[in-house]
Amino acid sequence: MDFRLSEDNELIRDAAREFAEKRLFPNAEKFDEEGDIPHEIYQELAELGYFGMMVPEKYGGMELDNLTYICAMEEFARGCAGAMISLSVHNSLVCEAILQYGTDEQKEKYLPKLASGEIMGAYCLTEPNSGTDAGSLKTTAAESGDNFVLNGTKTFVTNGGIAGIYLVFTLTSKEAGSKGISCIIVEKDTKGMSIGAKEKKMGLKGSDTREISFDDCEVPQSNLLGERDKGFKIALSLLANGRIGVGSQAVGIAQAAYEEAIKYSKEREQFGQPICNFQAIAFKLADMKVRIDASRLLVHRAAWLKDNDMPHSTEASVAKLYATQSANWVCNEAVQIHGGYGYIKEYAVERYFRDARVTEIYEGTSEAQKIVISRAILK
Ligand SMILES: Cc1cc2nc3c(=O)[nH]c(=O)nc-3n(C[C@H](O)[C@H](O)[C@H](O)COP(=O)(O)OP(=O)(O)OC[C@H]3O[C@@H](n4cnc5c(N)ncnc54)[C@H](O)[C@@H]3O)c2cc1C
């Protein structure tokens, strides 16, 4: 077994790290404070190709494999977890969905625009009364001539206010429950679609999260993505990809908190010496390293399995569960190492602590990952 990354993996990872260190990390506190990531940041990311990381070159993408993508995403999360999640939803949920399930016409219509950053993508599965139980969603799409007419509300939509297309999971066969769900592409500004106010969140404050409602919103039937009534399977298969991405986000946040904790523990003196001289602090750093290393290996394993067309759904859940729990643990310890200063906004660990929290919630909660993993064990 060779655990080394290839030269290509490292090249893209290092380029992403350079961008994150120059453009994301120095501004992350501002993005958090202002609750916004300026459009120019996304534009710069798009110009460097990061909007079409796994999209084939013929559609204007970088055509990277999943492992290389994941290495870059970890770096973006280390710089600014809010910007990273916008990119992650766009790349691993929306671009991937169109690539895997789109018709040739849909690919030609949307992938070049997505890959160039002309438009951003959003993924609309969650509803006010349907979260973990995603199969119980209530948004409907009734047939009317050549159109679908959508009615319902989606909540917690990442990129909700800045996307150009929305992948909306909706009932096309109401009586069939989760076996009657389809995925429909809705373009921004379609009549009958309304975008709610930006949610005020605990962390990832720069990322744009909103409610999206549909009131007799008509879209052509040609906007159906994948097979009719097979949308729930599409949603779940995409989430397996997304979970590897959230795992890498957790590793990036944890790595950032760990680096701050090392630095601070060498600078801060108590009892006439740096606090890293105390074994209680040094052992925390050792435990952080072990958890981050293990998380990264699990995330890379899941990405490698995907790249090699091997089953990876359970491994994606294992990686997401462990990496996100570890990130929360690491950030908590990083705050502890900073003492009272860790509780003050001036120190980045305060933000990492808040940003890490949601990684155990979205794209499937930790409890949902345990359902996936235990079912695989017991089947
Ligand atoms: C910042 C942010 C961004 C998001 N972005 C998106 C997005 O872009 N698109 C999208 O569709 N969604 C998005 N979400 C929604 C997210 O995926 C859901 O919040 C998540 O799936 C949990 O659903 P819920 O909030 O309804 O919680 P619930 O499902 O109500 O869960 C509440 C609690 O009950 C537990 N629970 C539920 N069922 C079970 C069970 N069977 N066994 C054990 N425990 C259970 C859960 O684990 C959790 O602890 C986002 C959420 C946030 C906060």
Side-chain angles (χ1 to χ4, degrees):
M1 256 178 139
D2 187 349
F3 288 98
R4 284 170 305 180
L5 293 173
S6 70
E7 271 181 35
D8 283 353
N9 299 147
E10 287 183 351
L11 200 74
I12 300 289
R13 182 202 59 193
D14 293 349
R17 180 177 294 171
E18 197 184 324
F19 181 86
E21 286 179 351
K22 270 198 197 137
R23 297 293 290 135
L24 299 181
F25 178 72
N27 293 308
E29 191 187 335
K30 186 167 167 265
F31 301 160
D32 181 70
E33 199 64 32
E34 295 177 357
D36 187 46
I37 296 169
H39 181 62
E40 72 199 42
I41 291 287
Y42 292 122
Q43 252 176 339
E44 287 174 39
L45 283 160
E47 275 160 24
L48 293 167
Y50 297 121
F51 269 60
M53 297 176 74
M54 290 176 290
V55 171
E57 285 177 4
K58 71 171 175 171
Y59 298 115
M62 289 170 97
E63 205 166 338
L64 301 176
D65 60 17
N66 204 259
L67 181 57
T68 314
Y69 164 74
I70 284 304
C71 292
M73 294 311 264
E74 180 191 324
E75 296 301 328
F76 292 136
R78 182 169 155 256
C80 172
M84 181 277 183
I85 197 60
S86 287
L87 269 188
S88 175
V89 167
H90 173 90
N91 277 285
S92 67
L93 296 181
V94 180
C95 292
E96 278 291 285
I98 294 181
L99 199 54
Q100 285 179 34
Y101 300 102
T103 60
D104 287 345
E105 290 74 32
Q106 287 168 340
K107 287 180 192 171
E108 267 150 36
K109 182 170 182 192
Y110 294 115
L111 286 176
K113 288 185 186 169
L114 289 163
S116 67
E118 186 183 330
I119 55 170
M120 214 168 189
Y123 175 93
C124 312
L125 178 65
T126 308
E127 298 184 357
N129 292 313
S130 154
T132 304
D133 185 12
S136 69
L137 62 83
K138 294 283 181 284
T139 297
T140 53
E143 277 182 64
S144 166
D146 292 339
N147 292 340
F148 284 119
V149 183
L150 272 69
N151 279 289
T153 299
K154 296 291 176 179
T155 194
F156 297 132
V157 178
T158 300
N159 299 338
I162 54 177
I165 59 165
Y166 299 76
L167 301 189
V168 182
F169 292 88
T170 167
L171 284 167
T172 34
S173 297
K174 220 170 158 183
E175 62 295 341
S178 67
K179 293 199 169 76
I181 294 173
S182 298
C183 180
I184 295 175
I185 304 170
V186 181
E187 296 185 7
K188 190 180 183 157
D189 295 332
T190 304
K191 196 163 163 266
M193 170 182 170
S194 47
I195 299 174
K198 209 172 191 177
E199 299 289 355
K200 293 188 176 135
K201 306 191 295 289
M202 176 196 292
L204 303 186
K205 290 189 178 195
S207 75
D208 188 291
T209 316
R210 300 184 191 236
E211 189 166 274
I212 309 285
S213 302
F214 304 95
D215 182 11
D216 288 337
C217 175
E218 288 195 33
V219 294
Q221 287 205 21
S222 56
N223 281 22
L224 177 71
L225 185 73
E227 276 182 71
R228 190 191 160 122
D229 294 343
K230 295 279 163 43
F232 194 50
K233 276 196 178 158
I234 297 178
L236 295 183
S237 83
L238 292 170
L239 283 177
N241 299 339
R243 283 167 186 167
I244 309 175
V246 175
S248 75
Q249 180 184 41
V251 176
I253 300 170
Q255 178 71 30
Y258 165 68
E259 287 169 13
E260 288 297 317
I262 295 173
K263 195 164 98 204
Y264 187 82
S265 73
K266 288 181 178 169
E267 288 165 4
R268 176 71 174 170
E269 291 194 1
Q270 289 294 285
F271 301 95
Q273 54 187 312
I275 58 169
C276 63
N277 285 356
F278 305 127
Q279 199 178 56
I281 300 294
F283 278 15
K284 282 189 196 300
L285 295 171
D287 283 336
M288 285 175 168
K289 178 180 167 46
V290 172
R291 292 191 200 205
I292 294 169
D293 275 7
S295 299
R296 187 178 287 116
L297 285 171
L298 287 172
V299 170
H300 285 192
R301 178 181 70 164
W304 183 88
L305 288 169
K306 179 173 187 298
D307 283 332
N308 286 280
D309 293 326
M310 291 161 83
H312 60 276
S313 168
T314 311
E315 287 75 11
S317 286
V318 169
K320 189 202 182 251
L321 177 65
Y322 188 77
T324 60
Q325 287 181 334
S326 297
N328 277 283
W329 185 88
V330 166
C331 291
N332 188 44
E333 291 295 67
V335 169
Q336 195 66 21
I337 289 175
H338 280 68
Y341 296 99
Y343 204 65
I344 304 294
K345 283 194 178 291
E346 212 179 309
Y347 289 81
V349 288
E350 183 270 346
R351 187 176 71 253
Y352 301 143
F353 179 83
R354 288 185 286 106
D355 284 350
R357 190 64 192 88
V358 77
T359 62
E360 276 202 67
I361 295 170
Y362 57 24
E363 303 205 21
T365 61
S366 287
E367 291 77 14
Q369 306 314 320
K370 289 185 192 181
I371 294 174
V372 173
I373 298 163
S374 58
R375 276 192 190 143
I377 296 168
L378 299 170
K379 78 171 176 218

